[in-house]
Amino acid sequence: MIRRRVAGLACVFALGAAATIPLPRSAQAAEVTSFALENGLDVVVLEDHRAPVVVQMVWYRVGAADEEPGKSGLAHFLEHLMFNGTETVPEGVFSDTVAANGGSDNAFTSQDYTAYFQRVAADRLDLMMEMEADRMVNLVIDPESVDAERQVVLEERNMRTENDPGALLAEQRGAAQYLNHPYGIPIIGWKHEIEGLTRDDALDFYRRHYAPNNATLIVAGDVTPDEVRALAEKHYGPIPANPEITERHRVTEPPQLAERRIVMEDPRVAQPVVIRTYLAPERDPGDQREAAALTLLARVLGGSGITSVLAQKLQFETQDSIYTSAFYDGTSLDATTFGVVTVPLEGMSLAEGEAALDRALAAFLEEGIDDDQLARIKTQLRASLIYREDDIDGLANSYGNALTSGLTLEDIEAWPDLLADISEDEIMAAARKVMDRRHAVTAWLSAPQGAEPEVMQ
């Protein structure tokens, strides 16, 4: 059993030329304990006794990027069917039981993982583990419910994707960004492939991937490691490991040699936008410095409000844009993207808006980063990581997300200090490396020329 405190939560540190700033501290920082059961289930306990509440999360190391070709949306489809019930907990009873005990539950799917969680009073953890362990191995999928659940997924796609030009553009951009890697396929799946998913597809995926030796159990809140170990041994311990579980091996992208461009028109678009994404490295275990530099770069360029570089240059100095942003999330098993966004001033063409964006980026690469701005961003980022301690849901989520994306507890604990340690030179080096137009997808989204914007239903 390994026990540790969340790193860096009691720190006071100086940044650049800024004065030393005392940062807020939680009344009691979460203590982290980790162990594994004999069947391969990894367990992480985030002990925090400030409120009599507990969050249980089971993270499976399988997501949309692990689906077979032609079966897009299967991981998400199975997530829905996991609420179909077992012989001992019929359909609907799981969530009803959680609610009857004053709690809440849900699930979500990403490219790299699928997670299920409940938030309840601490003395209900035994019951939650009993039910979650039951559906890890005893899922029953009623053939009559498959068609209905598939229709629910299709309606979800209609609502979140088909009715949103921005979401449709994101799909097209992803497909252009990744020619070979499955990250280019939407998590919810392509509509025509969702329509073909079957009960056998879901059961086969479930039996191949849902097992204790392919999962991480995160328990956060008013518990002790000994309590969690006893309950985990009681409920998850008897489930046998799946000997066919192996390391995930995915195809890789061929070298991108030229910029890819998308021009998309939709009458529902009210405000034209230019979005560019570049292939970017992910956070790797034991090697997070470049990802930390890119995390700070996104804040510097567009993630720190009106003081960010793109806002200052495009919204205030030249007034070529009414909105700017930059984004990057390195918590990914494979290569991810770094993005910049501009919404050109009304009356400007998208070509003019993109040209203005390019000038702003070129000026930034030439001028570098303001020391005071970087100091503020580092302080704000460090504070946000500390305040996260007050939200056991968010804390459990961040640990599960990182661990099922290939990182270790040591990587998670090192992250706050690593962000503080990254220099301006490292950020600029990462910027010059990543912001290569040959590795980019540039997308324009607008309404057709002369069209009146339609109201989205």
Side-chain angles (χ1 to χ4, degrees):
M1 180 182 292
I2 301 173
R3 302 188 71 168
R4 43 169 69 84
R5 278 199 179 275
V6 174
L9 296 184
C11 286
V12 176
F13 68 109
L15 296 167
T20 300
I21 302 170
L23 295 177
R25 173 190 167 94
S26 301
Q28 180 181 343
E31 186 160 326
V32 184
T33 305
S34 63
F35 55 89
L37 303 188
E38 290 186 5
N39 59 11
L41 179 69
D42 294 321
V43 184
V44 175
V45 182
L46 305 173
E47 187 178 359
D48 185 337
H49 299 287
R50 288 175 293 170
V53 176
V54 68
V55 172
Q56 175 188 227
M57 305 190 79
V58 172
W59 297 72
Y60 292 97
R61 293 184 285 274
V62 62
D66 301 297
E67 298 159 345
E68 293 181 1
K71 301 293 182 182
S72 66
L74 181 54
H76 175 251
F77 184 45
L78 176 59
E79 176 215 309
H80 279 246
L81 291 171
M82 281 288 283
F83 292 86
N84 205 55
T86 67
E87 290 186 359
T88 56
V89 183
E91 183 174 4
V93 172
F94 191 113
S95 293
D96 287 348
T97 301
V98 175
N101 282 271
S104 59
D105 73 315
N106 214 325
F108 48 89
T109 305
S110 85
Q111 294 285 9
D112 297 320
Y113 52 76
T114 311
Y116 302 83
F117 67 91
Q118 305 86 40
R119 178 188 174 97
V120 292
D123 61 1
R124 302 296 193 271
L125 179 59
D126 188 5
L127 176 60
M128 297 301 107
M129 279 202 188
E130 179 182 2
M131 294 195 300
E132 194 66 80
D134 179 37
R135 70 174 173 181
M136 178 181 282
V137 70
N138 295 318
L139 180 65
V140 174
I141 301 179
D142 183 347
E144 295 182 0
S145 69
V146 172
D147 289 342
E149 203 58 55
R150 189 192 304 107
Q151 191 59 41
V152 169
V153 173
L154 287 167
E155 286 301 320
E156 182 180 337
R157 179 182 167 87
N158 284 337
M159 179 180 66
R160 296 184 178 181
T161 305
E162 305 292 348
N163 287 336
D164 183 349
L168 289 171
L169 180 69
E171 276 193 346
Q172 297 299 306
R173 195 177 71 246
Q177 192 88 66
Y178 296 97
L179 296 184
N180 197 41
H181 193 282
Y183 283 175
I185 300 171
I187 294 169
I188 198 169
W190 300 116
K191 182 178 181 180
H192 67 287
E193 292 186 349
I194 298 171
E195 291 171 339
L197 296 177
T198 67
R199 176 175 180 270
D200 287 343
D201 291 332
L203 284 172
D204 180 60
F205 196 79
Y206 172 72
R207 290 164 181 157
R208 282 190 289 120
H209 298 292
Y210 279 48
N213 54 322
N214 201 36
T216 299
L217 170 66
I218 309 284
V219 180
D222 189 19
V223 292
T224 67
D226 288 341
E227 291 169 343
V228 173
R229 180 186 281 277
L231 292 175
E233 292 281 10
K234 173 183 174 183
H235 296 298
Y236 294 103
I239 302 174
N242 180 352
E244 297 183 6
I245 296 291
T246 60
E247 291 279 335
R248 287 188 282 190
H249 296 288
R250 294 175 179 165
V251 297
T252 56
E253 277 293 292
Q256 185 176 340
L257 305 178
E259 181 181 12
R260 299 160 191 164
R261 300 188 67 86
I262 297 171
V263 177
M264 182 173 170
E265 294 183 339
D266 191 303
R268 297 169 295 180
V269 174
Q271 186 65 57
V273 62
V274 177
I275 303 176
R276 180 181 298 145
T277 51
Y278 307 85
L279 279 176
E282 73 282 4
R283 285 171 63 184
D284 287 324
D287 183 16
Q288 303 183 93
R289 292 198 73 89
E290 190 170 24
L294 290 171
T295 298
L296 290 166
L297 175 64
R299 295 283 184 123
V300 167
L301 281 178
S304 54
I306 61 173
T307 63
S308 64
V309 168
L310 293 180
Q312 285 294 308
K313 291 186 178 299
L314 294 175
Q315 294 176 238
F316 294 98
E317 291 179 14
T318 65
Q319 298 186 352
D320 288 326
S321 177
I322 62 172
Y323 172 80
T324 57
S325 182
F327 56 91
Y328 169 77
D329 182 1
T331 312
S332 172
L333 196 63
D334 298 315
T336 183
T337 58
F338 184 98
V340 290
V341 181
T342 182
V343 176
L345 192 69
E346 186 173 356
M348 290 182 64
S349 68
L350 289 174
E352 292 170 327
E354 182 182 345
L357 174 64
D358 287 337
R359 288 192 297 271
L361 293 174
F364 166 72
L365 292 175
E366 179 68 25
E367 298 166 2
I369 303 171
D370 177 79
D371 289 342
D372 290 339
Q373 182 200 20
L374 182 57
R376 287 193 301 270
I377 287 172
K378 285 188 174 183
T379 301
Q380 292 164 1
L381 190 55
R382 186 66 170 242
S384 70
L385 294 175
I386 292 172
Y387 287 129
R388 186 187 64 183
E389 280 288 280
D390 292 326
D391 176 12
I392 61 170
D393 302 76
L395 193 61
N397 195 309
S398 65
Y399 268 77
N401 183 3
L403 292 170
T404 49
S405 298
L407 299 174
T408 66
L409 286 173
E410 289 75 19
D411 295 320
I412 298 169
E413 293 170 8
W415 186 244
D417 288 333
L418 188 59
L419 289 169
D421 187 55
I422 295 297
S423 68
E424 176 185 349
D425 287 345
E426 287 178 284
I427 297 171
M428 296 307 299
R432 294 186 181 96
K433 177 181 176 180
V434 168
M435 290 194 295
D436 184 336
R437 292 283 288 270
R438 295 172 299 175
H439 304 158
V441 174
T442 301
W444 292 2
L445 177 63
S446 65
Q449 187 70 24
E452 289 291 331
E454 296 180 1
V455 177
M456 288 183 284
Q457 301 298 319

